[in-house]
């Protein structure tokens, strides 16, 4: 379950540059959304901020920044999501989140689509452990809500 990629992302966390003070303040900017998620079962938590930028006709994800504490799975998942999201359109990110959710709900019966999920495919084994699925999903649920907010304020 703890593949090398997961361990590397858990240690060197991409996007984990949101300070606790920034995480406590809700952004009041167009094209920015923020969400806090907590797993009450294990205590993992994350505050994730997603920023869109106008790029021609279609906005793209400028960055995903987060602050969190938790197990290697939740922190690696947030790190991988942060890397994968950059440059994606809102529709592409929604597809990625939907595919990741479906994978996590499959209880290990579904093969990950690496073209859609990239490095997040390394988390596929987590789906076999229902108690750990929430850990892997924490950042993705936060990103889904933050994306919704960012899109609604960018119009």
């Amino acid at each position: 379950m703890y593949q090398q990629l997961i361990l590397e992302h858990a240690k060197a966390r991409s996007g984990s540059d949101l300070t606790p003070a920034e995480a406590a303040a809700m952004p009041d900017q167009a094209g920015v959304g923020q969400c806090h998620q907590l797993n009450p079962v294990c205590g993992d938590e994350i505050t994730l901020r997603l920023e869109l930028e106008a790029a021609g006709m279609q906005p793209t994800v400028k960055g995903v920044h987060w602050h969190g504490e938790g197990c290697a799975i939740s922190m690696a998942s947030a790190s991988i999501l942060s890397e994968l999201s950059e440059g994606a359109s809102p529709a592409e990110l929604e597809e990625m989140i939907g595919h990741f959710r479906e994978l996590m709900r499959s209880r290990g019966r579904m093969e990950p689509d690496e073209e859609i999920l990239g490095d997040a495919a390394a988390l596929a084994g987590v789906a076999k452990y229902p108690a750990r699925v929430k850990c892997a999903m924490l950042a993705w649920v936060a990103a889904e809500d933050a994306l919704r907010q960012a899109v609604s304020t960018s119009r």
Side-chain angles (χ1 to χ4, degrees):
M1 185 164 76
Y2 287 93
Q3 296 174 4
Q4 188 63 32
L5 182 65
I6 295 171
L7 293 173
E8 288 172 10
H9 272 282
K11 288 179 184 175
R13 302 172 180 180
S14 296
S16 178
D17 55 1
L18 195 64
T19 67
E22 290 171 326
M26 286 299 288
D28 188 21
Q29 296 171 269
V32 178
Q34 181 169 306
C35 181
H36 178 82
Q37 290 289 316
L38 169 69
N39 182 349
V41 175
C42 65
D44 290 2
E45 66 181 299
I46 188 168
T47 300
L48 184 141
R49 184 175 291 175
L50 185 142
E51 300 173 20
L52 294 177
E53 69 179 345
M57 298 295 289
Q58 176 75 305
T60 60
V61 176
K62 179 180 179 182
V64 170
H65 309 279
W66 57 277
H67 173 75
E69 296 296 328
C71 68
I73 291 172
S74 65
M75 298 297 98
S77 187
S79 176
I80 292 168
L81 171 66
S82 180
E83 285 186 0
L84 290 174
S85 300
E86 196 167 324
S89 71
E92 290 168 336
L93 183 53
E94 285 174 2
E95 179 185 15
M96 202 182 312
I97 292 168
H99 189 73
F100 189 74
R101 177 178 281 118
E102 187 180 353
L103 177 66
M104 289 295 109
R105 290 180 176 166
S106 76
R107 297 204 181 241
R109 292 185 296 271
M110 181 179 161
E111 287 296 317
D113 185 333
E114 291 186 32
E115 286 198 24
I116 296 172
L117 293 178
D119 283 352
L123 294 160
V126 173
K128 296 176 186 175
Y129 304 93
R132 305 307 301 237
V133 167
K134 177 75 174 173
C135 300
M137 283 297 304
L138 205 60
W140 297 75
V141 170
E144 185 174 45
D145 187 43
L147 177 62
R148 203 171 309 129
Q149 293 172 34
V151 167
S152 71
T153 63
S154 68
R155 294 183 178 151

mmCIF file of all heavy atoms in Angstrom, residues 16-34:
data_model
loop_
_atom_site.group_PDB
_atom_site.id
_atom_site.type_symbol
_atom_site.label_atom_id
_atom_site.label_comp_id
_atom_site.label_asym_id
_atom_site.label_seq_id
_atom_site.Cartn_x
_atom_site.Cartn_y
_atom_site.Cartn_z
ATOM 1 N N SER A 16 2.142 22.255 -0.289
ATOM 2 C CA SER A 16 1.926 22.434 1.153
ATOM 3 C C SER A 16 2.590 23.724 1.625
ATOM 4 O O SER A 16 3.455 23.718 2.493
ATOM 5 C CB SER A 16 2.492 21.234 1.920
ATOM 6 O OG SER A 16 2.320 21.417 3.305
ATOM 7 N N ASP A 17 2.155 24.835 1.023
ATOM 8 C CA ASP A 17 2.769 26.117 1.346
ATOM 9 C C ASP A 17 1.758 27.134 1.871
ATOM 10 O O ASP A 17 2.061 28.310 1.991
ATOM 11 C CB ASP A 17 3.501 26.678 0.130
ATOM 12 C CG ASP A 17 2.612 26.790 -1.108
ATOM 13 O OD1 ASP A 17 1.416 26.444 -1.034
ATOM 14 O OD2 ASP A 17 3.122 27.218 -2.149
ATOM 15 N N LEU A 18 0.578 26.674 2.213
ATOM 16 C CA LEU A 18 -0.429 27.546 2.813
ATOM 17 C C LEU A 18 -0.120 27.625 4.308
ATOM 18 O O LEU A 18 -0.031 26.596 4.972
ATOM 19 C CB LEU A 18 -1.825 26.958 2.588
ATOM 20 C CG LEU A 18 -3.027 27.849 2.821
ATOM 21 C CD1 LEU A 18 -3.033 29.017 1.835
ATOM 22 C CD2 LEU A 18 -4.313 27.042 2.664
ATOM 23 N N THR A 19 0.087 28.822 4.808
ATOM 24 C CA THR A 19 0.416 28.967 6.228
ATOM 25 C C THR A 19 -0.842 28.776 7.068
ATOM 26 O O THR A 19 -1.962 28.956 6.572
ATOM 27 C CB THR A 19 1.011 30.358 6.532
ATOM 28 O OG1 THR A 19 -0.015 31.338 6.339
ATOM 29 C CG2 THR A 19 2.223 30.655 5.658
ATOM 30 N N PRO A 20 -0.686 28.442 8.344
ATOM 31 C CA PRO A 20 -1.864 28.323 9.214
ATOM 32 C C PRO A 20 -2.693 29.610 9.249
ATOM 33 O O PRO A 20 -3.928 29.559 9.276
ATOM 34 C CB PRO A 20 -1.267 28.008 10.586
ATOM 35 C CG PRO A 20 0.017 27.305 10.274
ATOM 36 C CD PRO A 20 0.536 28.001 9.031
ATOM 37 N N ALA A 21 -2.037 30.770 9.216
ATOM 38 C CA ALA A 21 -2.768 32.041 9.211
ATOM 39 C C ALA A 21 -3.573 32.201 7.926
ATOM 40 O O ALA A 21 -4.729 32.640 7.950
ATOM 41 C CB ALA A 21 -1.803 33.214 9.379
ATOM 42 N N GLU A 22 -2.985 31.838 6.786
ATOM 43 C CA GLU A 22 -3.696 31.909 5.508
ATOM 44 C C GLU A 22 -4.858 30.919 5.494
ATOM 45 O O GLU A 22 -5.934 31.217 4.986
ATOM 46 C CB GLU A 22 -2.751 31.616 4.346
ATOM 47 C CG GLU A 22 -1.735 32.696 4.085
ATOM 48 C CD GLU A 22 -0.681 32.265 3.072
ATOM 49 O OE1 GLU A 22 -0.306 31.076 3.042
ATOM 50 O OE2 GLU A 22 -0.244 33.134 2.299
ATOM 51 N N ALA A 23 -4.617 29.741 6.066
ATOM 52 C CA ALA A 23 -5.651 28.716 6.106
ATOM 53 C C ALA A 23 -6.837 29.144 6.961
ATOM 54 O O ALA A 23 -7.974 28.757 6.690
ATOM 55 C CB ALA A 23 -5.072 27.402 6.630
ATOM 56 N N ALA A 24 -6.590 29.956 7.979
ATOM 57 C CA ALA A 24 -7.653 30.410 8.881
ATOM 58 C C ALA A 24 -8.497 31.520 8.264
ATOM 59 O O ALA A 24 -9.628 31.747 8.680
ATOM 60 C CB ALA A 24 -7.056 30.883 10.196
ATOM 61 N N ALA A 25 -7.947 32.212 7.276
ATOM 62 C CA ALA A 25 -8.659 33.333 6.644
ATOM 63 C C ALA A 25 -9.250 32.886 5.318
ATOM 64 O O ALA A 25 -8.544 32.344 4.473
ATOM 65 C CB ALA A 25 -7.694 34.497 6.418
ATOM 66 N N MET A 26 -10.528 33.127 5.146
ATOM 67 C CA MET A 26 -11.161 32.800 3.870
ATOM 68 C C MET A 26 -10.772 33.854 2.837
ATOM 69 O O MET A 26 -10.856 35.051 3.113
ATOM 70 C CB MET A 26 -12.679 32.766 4.014
ATOM 71 C CG MET A 26 -13.199 31.546 4.737
ATOM 72 S SD MET A 26 -12.798 29.993 3.916
ATOM 73 C CE MET A 26 -13.868 30.064 2.505
ATOM 74 N N PRO A 27 -10.341 33.438 1.672
ATOM 75 C CA PRO A 27 -9.953 34.405 0.643
ATOM 76 C C PRO A 27 -11.171 35.136 0.090
ATOM 77 O O PRO A 27 -12.250 34.566 -0.011
ATOM 78 C CB PRO A 27 -9.313 33.528 -0.436
ATOM 79 C CG PRO A 27 -9.941 32.194 -0.253
ATOM 80 C CD PRO A 27 -10.218 32.066 1.210
ATOM 81 N N ASP A 28 -10.968 36.388 -0.232
ATOM 82 C CA ASP A 28 -12.038 37.196 -0.819
ATOM 83 C C ASP A 28 -11.556 37.717 -2.167
ATOM 84 O O ASP A 28 -11.424 38.913 -2.368
ATOM 85 C CB ASP A 28 -12.415 38.342 0.120
ATOM 86 C CG ASP A 28 -13.652 39.084 -0.348
ATOM 87 O OD1 ASP A 28 -14.424 38.505 -1.136
ATOM 88 O OD2 ASP A 28 -13.830 40.249 0.051
ATOM 89 N N GLN A 29 -11.249 36.773 -3.053
ATOM 90 C CA GLN A 29 -10.733 37.119 -4.374
ATOM 91 C C GLN A 29 -11.523 36.360 -5.427
ATOM 92 O O GLN A 29 -11.931 35.219 -5.202
ATOM 93 C CB GLN A 29 -9.266 36.703 -4.501
ATOM 94 C CG GLN A 29 -8.309 37.410 -3.576
ATOM 95 C CD GLN A 29 -6.943 36.734 -3.660
ATOM 96 O OE1 GLN A 29 -6.660 35.817 -2.904
ATOM 97 N NE2 GLN A 29 -6.131 37.188 -4.588
ATOM 98 N N ALA A 30 -11.689 36.983 -6.554
ATOM 99 C CA ALA A 30 -12.338 36.301 -7.671
ATOM 100 C C ALA A 30 -11.457 35.149 -8.135
ATOM 101 O O ALA A 30 -10.238 35.271 -8.193
ATOM 102 C CB ALA A 30 -12.571 37.277 -8.815
ATOM 103 N N GLY A 31 -12.073 34.034 -8.426
ATOM 104 C CA GLY A 31 -11.350 32.877 -8.946
ATOM 105 C C GLY A 31 -10.575 32.095 -7.903
ATOM 106 O O GLY A 31 -9.720 31.294 -8.239
ATOM 107 N N VAL A 32 -10.898 32.300 -6.620
ATOM 108 C CA VAL A 32 -10.215 31.578 -5.541
ATOM 109 C C VAL A 32 -11.265 30.912 -4.663
ATOM 110 O O VAL A 32 -12.269 31.525 -4.294
ATOM 111 C CB VAL A 32 -9.338 32.523 -4.683
ATOM 112 C CG1 VAL A 32 -8.681 31.767 -3.548
ATOM 113 C CG2 VAL A 32 -8.282 33.198 -5.549
ATOM 114 N N GLY A 33 -11.049 29.658 -4.338
ATOM 115 C CA GLY A 33 -11.929 28.923 -3.443
ATOM 116 C C GLY A 33 -11.109 28.224 -2.376
ATOM 117 O O GLY A 33 -9.934 27.904 -2.598
ATOM 118 N N GLN A 34 -11.714 28.006 -1.239
ATOM 119 C CA GLN A 34 -10.994 27.357 -0.129
ATOM 120 C C GLN A 34 -11.952 26.460 0.635
ATOM 121 O O GLN A 34 -13.118 26.791 0.820
ATOM 122 C CB GLN A 34 -10.412 28.413 0.803
ATOM 123 C CG GLN A 34 -9.627 27.826 1.962
ATOM 124 C CD GLN A 34 -8.852 28.884 2.716
ATOM 125 O OE1 GLN A 34 -8.078 29.615 2.101
ATOM 126 N NE2 GLN A 34 -9.053 28.970 4.015
#
